[in-house]
Amino acid sequence: MIQFKDVSKTFKSKGVTTQALQHVSLTIEDGDMFGVIGFSGAGKSTLLRMVNGLEMPTEGHVEINGQDLSKVSHNEMRKLRKSIGMVFQQFNLLDSRTVFDNVAIPLRLNKVDKDTMHKKVMELLEYVNLADKADAYPGQLSGGQKQRVGIARALATDPSILLCDEATSALDPETTESILQLLERIHKELNITILRCSSLRTKYKSSSAYATA
């Protein structure tokens, strides 16, 4: 369960104060697929980044399964982040690495043995319909294929939570629909809690809960 309890976030830069979030309270149950929609600058990404501790509230609390993130140790936060996958708007792939190597990055960081890593990566590439692209480089892929690589990488550590930060905003409408269908499939088949944010133009399925920011 993800809970935002009266969360506010203020940024200060060069004497200018920006209120990104004001008194946000919401609960996302385990297994939910929850969307946050709003205009650019509405605070959607800030809200998302609080779930994995990349941002901390100025006021209020964010809790994962009853654990207040502002009170966890550095080591506890690192452990928690292993259970949270992240899909980015601009894919965040390494151009100098193959598709296989990009998906394998979290597994290498976790010191997974070579045979287990190879099996896991190929299973994930098969799941996102890119098994034939394992030896390709990001520059050889379409935008939709790059995002599928990003999704496979986010699933590499078997997360219980998947965060999608504007994951389809850089894609054309047809490709956007295919990525949303993939996320719906992941939600149903893997029972992962999905929290995604997007601009107001994105089409949301009726089965997804959503909130406006």
Side-chain angles (χ1 to χ4, degrees):
M1 180 187 295
I2 305 169
Q3 291 182 293
F4 294 85
K5 297 184 175 181
D6 199 27
V7 168
S8 296
K9 179 65 177 181
T10 301
F11 293 101
K12 294 183 179 180
S13 177
K14 298 180 180 179
V16 178
T17 299
T18 302
Q19 189 78 43
L21 297 170
Q22 290 183 293
H23 305 295
V24 175
S25 294
L26 61 89
T27 297
I28 303 166
E29 300 287 351
D30 291 342
D32 276 357
M33 189 172 188
F34 197 97
V36 178
I37 60 175
F39 293 110
S40 177
K44 304 182 300 297
S45 294
T46 299
L47 188 76
L48 209 70
R49 287 162 60 87
M50 287 184 177
V51 177
N52 57 11
L54 295 178
E55 296 286 355
M56 287 294 177
T58 305
E59 299 177 19
H61 304 279
V62 179
E63 296 183 2
I64 306 294
N65 296 325
Q67 189 174 29
D68 187 342
L69 299 191
S70 66
K71 298 180 180 179
V72 303
S73 67
H74 177 72
N75 287 337
E76 288 173 328
M77 183 63 75
R78 287 184 60 188
K79 183 178 180 180
L80 177 66
R81 284 173 178 158
K82 291 180 181 180
S83 68
I84 302 174
M86 186 86 171
V87 182
F88 301 91
Q89 176 181 357
Q90 297 298 334
F91 320 128
N92 282 22
L93 303 180
L94 297 178
D95 291 335
S96 61
R97 301 288 184 90
T98 64
V99 166
F100 181 97
D101 288 334
N102 269 282
V103 176
I105 287 173
L107 300 173
R108 287 200 170 100
L109 291 174
N110 288 335
K111 300 180 180 180
V112 174
D113 69 83
K114 187 176 180 180
D115 290 343
T116 301
M117 178 179 68
H118 186 274
K119 180 181 179 182
K120 182 68 174 180
V121 171
M122 293 310 299
E123 285 177 348
L124 288 168
L125 290 178
E126 182 71 32
Y127 192 81
V128 299
N129 296 319
L130 287 177
D132 61 331
K133 300 294 184 181
D135 296 325
Y137 288 85
Q140 299 171 303
L141 305 180
S142 67
Q145 289 172 328
K146 290 178 183 179
Q147 195 56 288
R148 287 175 181 271
V149 175
I151 291 170
R153 180 185 56 194
L155 295 175
T157 57
D158 297 316
S160 58
I161 297 171
L162 184 63
L163 306 177
C164 301
D165 189 5
E166 302 268 6
T168 60
S169 63
L171 305 175
D172 61 74
E174 184 176 351
T175 307
T176 291
E177 185 64 26
S178 72
I179 294 299
L180 291 178
Q181 288 174 359
L182 175 58
L183 292 175
E184 189 82 9
R185 179 187 170 203
I186 289 168
H187 173 243
K188 289 180 178 179
E189 295 180 356
L190 304 182
N191 195 33
I192 294 176
T193 303
I194 298 180
L195 174 58
R196 54 191 173 103
C197 68
S198 188
S199 59
L200 286 170
R201 66 180 178 84
T202 297
K203 179 182 178 181
Y204 279 81
K205 294 182 177 295
S206 59
S207 60
S208 302
Y210 69 90
T212 56

